[in-house]
Each structure stands twice: as C-alpha cells, then as structure tokens.
Amino acid sequence: MHHILNKKTSTLVLILAAVSAGIYALQILFFHDPGTTFFYIFQDLAFIPISIAITTVVVGSIMDERSKRDSRAKTRMLMGTFFSGIGAKLMVVLLRAADHTIAAKDAMASCYSRVPEEERIERIRQTDFNITLDQETYDQTRELLEGWETELMILSSNPLLLEHETFTELLFGLFQLMDEFRLRGNYENLNEDAVSHMGEDFSRVLRLLLLCAFENRKYTQENFPVFYRDAAAKIKTRGGIENED
C-alpha cells in the first residue's frame, strides 16, 4: 500500500512538473522573451526556501501548540473520568483512615477553597499524612481497586498521561497496592510489619490523590462549573469537610 502511494505521488509530481515546463515553453513561444521567462523562474525558485521556512517553522509551531493544547484537554478529561469513577471514593476512604491530628481534612478542603493556588499545593505537600491501616480501610480500598482494575489498565496505557508526572505516580502507586493485595490476600494474613508497610503505601497514595484532585479541580472549575460545584459539595459532605474560604 505504501509503495502504491509513493508511486502515485511520484507520478503526480512528474505530471505537474511537465505541465509547468509546458506553460513556460508556451510563454517563450508566444512572447519570444526567454530572458524574462528565466528571470521569473529563478525568482520563483528563490522564494521556495522562504516559503518552506514560513510553512514549517511558523505554521508548524502554531499547529504544534494547538495539538499540545488539545492533548492537555483530553488528558484532563481522562483525569476527570478517574475522579468521577474511583478517585473521589478512594479519597473519602483514605481520609477517614488518616490521622485527624495531622489536618488531613484541611488538606482535602484546600483542593476546593479560594486559598491561593501555590499555598494550596504547598499545604498538601507539607502535610504529614499518616494512615493507620485497619481491616475496613484495607477491604474497601481492595474492593475499589479490584473493581476498577481493567479501567486503570486502559487509563495507564494512554501516552498522553505521561505529561502529568503526579498522576502517573498515582497510577503506579495504585498498581503497587493491587500487587500488595494479590500477594497478601485477606487482612487477617497481615502481620505487624506488613500493616505498617502498607500504611505507608496508603499514605503516599492519599497525598498523590489530593495533589491530582487539585489539578483536576482547576480544570473542572474552569470548563464545567456546575459539575464542579456539585462534585465539590458531595465530596465535602462525604468526607465531613467544612467549607473553607
């Protein structure tokens, strides 16, 4: 197929070149001024590099920027699908298990507040999350991830997500938890070291969830304000989070 296309392209180029040569020949035949004809031929040839430069550099840059913008929008939509499906539920489960003395709720509320953006991100990054793993948290998280395993695999295969390092880390963290669940089985099989180790994994996933929730919040608020308002209210209600200005 590729060979046929190349053959057709070559044939088309030869035909167009022959037509152009025929037109120049007719011009010389009718006007008897080959000097002027060759002058314009070379003038046209001199303009070709400039035309290529404008097309490839200027127009190419515009098209590339537009393509990147469309890719970012599509990625945000994928992240939004994640949070509307499993992300918000998982955050509620992990926040309930987090040590409330470390203001985990405040970090969650910062995703949906009017506090300056840099301050919100820094607050999440600096919060010392600590999840003491119990059977309820273990079983609920396991059930959520097992129910969404196929969707997470499909989501992680999308190359657009590689541009978002934090969300990629979150997916890796979730897959690591899934591997832990497969390895250890039921909660009753965990010893003290395993509970402590998995508690650290859960805490890391919670931090990444909150950071990604903030990124998703910004996109959703700007593009889907009504959906954002309802989702924020629902998450705050389920997580027991008070409104913050």
Side-chain angles (χ1 to χ4, degrees), residues 21-23 26 34 62 65-66 71 92 98 109 115 127 136 161 163 190 206 210 236-237:
I23 293 173
L26 289 174
I62 295 174
E65 182 59 32
R66 180 177 298 178
S71 296
V92 171
V115 176
T127 300
E136 182 181 8
L161 293 177
E163 299 179 7
L190 272 62
L206 176 57
L210 292 173
K236 289 177 183 179
T237 301

Side-chain angles (χ1 to χ4, degrees), residues 18-245:
V19 171
S20 180
I23 293 173
Y24 282 125
L26 289 174
Q27 181 177 335
I28 295 173
L29 179 64
F30 288 133
F31 298 102
H32 307 287
D33 189 1
T36 302
T37 300
F38 286 121
F39 170 79
Y40 283 112
I41 290 175
F42 284 111
Q43 190 175 47
D44 292 339
L45 291 174
F47 181 74
I48 290 177
I50 300 176
S51 177
I52 294 175
I54 294 175
T55 303
T56 57
V57 177
V58 179
V59 179
S61 298
I62 295 174
M63 295 299 294
D64 185 56
E65 182 59 32
R66 180 177 298 178
S67 176
K68 288 181 179 179
R69 185 170 63 250
D70 292 342
S71 296
R72 286 193 292 267
K74 292 176 182 177
T75 306
R76 294 299 185 190
M77 291 179 65
L78 291 174
M79 293 173 64
T81 300
F82 168 83
F83 277 99
S84 64
I86 185 177
K89 297 177 182 178
L90 189 57
M91 274 193 296
V92 171
V93 171
L94 298 184
L95 282 170
R96 287 174 178 169
D99 186 349
H100 288 243
T101 63
I102 58 173
K105 287 186 177 182
D106 290 340
M108 176 61 184
S110 70
C111 294
Y112 296 91
S113 70
R114 290 188 290 273
V115 176
E117 179 176 333
E118 295 79 8
E119 183 178 337
R120 280 177 279 181
I121 295 176
E122 192 61 26
R123 181 185 300 184
I124 296 172
R125 292 189 183 279
Q126 290 186 357
T127 300
D128 186 19
F129 294 102
N130 179 32
I131 291 181
T132 302
L133 191 60
D134 57 22
Q135 182 169 355
E136 182 181 8
T137 303
Y138 183 93
D139 291 342
Q140 288 181 350
T141 304
R142 181 182 179 183
E143 182 180 356
L144 282 171
L145 292 181
E146 288 180 350
W148 257 72
E149 182 174 3
T150 301
E151 288 82 354
L152 290 174
M153 292 293 293
I154 295 174
L155 193 61
S156 64
S157 66
N158 195 307
L160 296 176
L161 293 177
L162 296 177
E163 299 179 7
H164 298 268
E165 182 178 355
T166 304
F167 192 71
T168 302
E169 290 181 11
L170 171 60
L171 291 178
F172 286 158
L174 295 178
F175 285 129
Q176 181 179 354
L177 285 182
M178 293 167 66
D179 288 338
E180 293 276 5
F181 291 141
R182 281 190 284 266
L183 174 66
R184 305 183 187 281
N186 296 329
Y187 180 83
E188 293 80 1
N189 299 331
L190 272 62
N191 56 33
E192 185 176 344
D193 290 339
V195 170
S196 177
H197 168 71
M198 291 198 69
E200 295 177 359
D201 293 338
F202 274 62
S203 301
R204 182 170 59 254
V205 166
L206 176 57
R207 184 193 307 278
L208 292 170
L209 269 171
L210 292 173
L211 288 172
C212 291
F214 172 75
E215 294 182 17
N216 182 66
R217 176 215 64 82
K218 185 177 180 181
Y219 172 79
T220 305
Q221 186 179 30
E222 293 174 352
N223 295 274
F224 309 99
V226 176
F227 178 84
Y228 162 79
R229 181 196 62 202
D230 295 341
K234 190 172 184 179
I235 291 175
K236 289 177 183 179
T237 301
R238 288 187 175 181
I241 300 169
E242 299 296 333
N243 292 330
E244 180 183 346
D245 293 330

